[in-house]
Amino acid sequence: MTTADLFRDLSDRPAPVRLGDGAWLLPRFACDRAEALLAALDGVLRQAPLRHMQTPGGHTMTVAMSCCGERGWHSDAAGYRYTTFDPHCGRRWPPMPAVFVELAVAAAATAGYPGFVPDSCLINRYGADAKLSPHQDRDERDLSHPIVSLSLGLPARFRFGGPRRRDRLLRTDLEHGDVVVWGGASRLAYHGVLPLAGGRHPSTGDCRYNLSFRRAG
DNA sequence: CAGTACCC
DNA sequence: GGAC
């Protein structure tokens, strides 16, 4: 950490918003690093292109996905799982850029999860009409590690509930640079994203990116 | 039969 | 609600 990091003025950032027990929205947490994150994302996606995965039930996901880090999430007819190789090309997933790791570590620590270090980043691109039905992130080996979720580009209508599918889902808008962290009692909370509204963002054009950081292995 | 990172 |  540099001196500039230590003395960066954080006073213009809104206070964290509690979404549940152990779940926090950190508004605009990544705003000052958004361009560096997007530049690094560009490099990752050149090595591991976005693709529309199949669900085990036989549907094509509307969200386009890729991964970086030691492990990557994958879905096909055989189920959900993490792999150390990209099934698309048979090579390792691209390494996780340092700016990704630093952002995830800092956000997790801010939300009460010191010591979190991701080994996997799932990249989701939401184009027009893309959505993600409510689901749990439960394919990771050790659920004591939180999920760190970064939003870039167009805003999303995010839904966040509890560990049972029937639990009420709250709705909150996620904007460019927002980070959501959930763990502890909220680790298995159902969450989803409503269909993306149209529009244009200066940094990403007509889409939204979500980067979710996990420790999968 | 129950459940769904589904669909209409 | 239905199809998988």
Side-chain angles (χ1 to χ4, degrees):
Chain A
M1 177 155 301
T2 69
T3 307
D5 289 324
L6 289 170
F7 290 97
R8 181 189 297 135
D9 181 10
L10 304 179
S11 59
D12 62 332
R13 283 183 185 151
V17 177
R18 187 182 178 279
L19 300 181
D21 186 355
W24 294 94
L25 163 61
L26 308 178
R28 308 209 306 260
F29 187 85
C31 258
D32 58 351
R33 278 169 275 190
E35 294 311 314
L37 289 160
L38 284 166
L41 175 61
D42 214 57
V44 167
L45 295 180
R46 277 199 301 270
Q47 302 169 70
L50 292 157
R51 76 293 304 260
H52 292 273
M53 298 182 188
Q54 302 295 124
T55 68
H59 297 280
T60 301
M61 299 178 74
T62 57
V63 179
M65 298 177 164
S66 187
C67 300
C68 63
E70 294 170 39
R71 297 176 178 79
W73 187 83
H74 183 74
S75 175
D76 60 22
Y80 311 135
R81 62 202 176 278
Y82 282 93
T83 68
T84 52
F85 294 88
D86 178 356
H88 183 78
C89 65
R91 290 184 274 105
R92 287 204 178 266
W93 296 102
M96 206 181 316
V99 66
F100 283 21
V101 179
E102 289 159 10
L103 182 279
V105 166
T110 299
Y113 301 98
F116 172 74
V117 181
D119 65 359
S120 176
C121 172
L122 175 60
I123 299 155
N124 290 344
R125 185 185 65 186
Y126 294 76
D129 300 325
K131 64 185 167 60
L132 202 53
S133 300
H135 66 278
Q136 295 170 306
D137 290 2
R138 57 182 303 161
D139 303 317
E140 300 73 31
R141 183 201 297 272
D142 180 353
L143 298 178
S144 71
H145 298 293
I147 301 289
V148 175
S149 170
L150 163 68
S151 294
L152 292 169
L154 288 176
R157 294 179 293 174
F158 182 60
R159 308 173 77 193
F160 191 85
R164 292 158 304 201
R165 192 174 284 279
R166 64 178 178 272
D167 292 333
R168 169 184 294 278
L169 295 154
L170 66 79
R171 180 193 296 195
T172 185
D173 286 334
L174 296 182
E175 297 178 33
H176 185 65
D178 286 352
V179 175
V180 178
V181 182
W182 65 94
S186 289
R187 179 60 178 75
L188 290 177
Y190 276 84
H191 57 285
V193 178
L194 292 170
L196 185 70
R200 192 150 255 283
H201 189 278
S203 295
T204 64
D206 59 2
C207 73
R208 165 182 186 255
Y209 288 100
N210 176 264
L211 307 184
S212 59
F213 301 95
R214 305 104 186 282
R215 186 174 306 180

